Amino acid sequence: MNENNKVVIYTSSLCGFCYKAKVLLSNYDIEFTEINIDNDYDKRKEMILKANGKTTVPQIFLGSEHIGGCDDLYELARENKLEIFNN
């Protein structure tokens, strides 16, 4: 997979929205790398920096592009725009 098309999702173990986002990605056969920030302060800081200050999870990225959270991902699905993840 091209680095520009790599999907990365920052998550927390007890987050229902993280679970929903991962299920949606899986249902569309979209490969992703999960970064759990529960006990990793450096990864949490990295996520906040990349997400322009957002501290909630999930935070989803396509390459260096910030997609947003679970609601944003579901909005892309409603608009039939998830194919951007498979290019």
Side-chain angles (χ1 to χ4, degrees), residues 16-71:
F17 291 106
C18 297
Y19 176 78
K20 283 179 59 175
K22 292 186 294 183
V23 167
L24 182 64
L25 290 170
S26 294
N27 286 344
Y28 280 85
D29 293 322
I30 298 169
E31 294 180 26
F32 59 90
T33 300
E34 180 178 3
I35 300 174
N36 186 297
I37 63 168
D38 283 339
N39 297 312
D40 192 331
Y41 181 73
D42 290 334
K43 290 296 182 187
R44 179 181 295 272
K45 270 182 22 182
E46 174 185 283
M47 177 197 78
I48 294 168
L49 182 64
K50 287 175 61 175
N52 298 314
K54 293 193 183 342
T55 59
T56 58
V57 288
Q59 291 300 321
I60 304 161
F61 297 85
L62 176 59
S64 61
E65 180 183 353
H66 182 226
I67 300 301
C70 184
D71 291 341

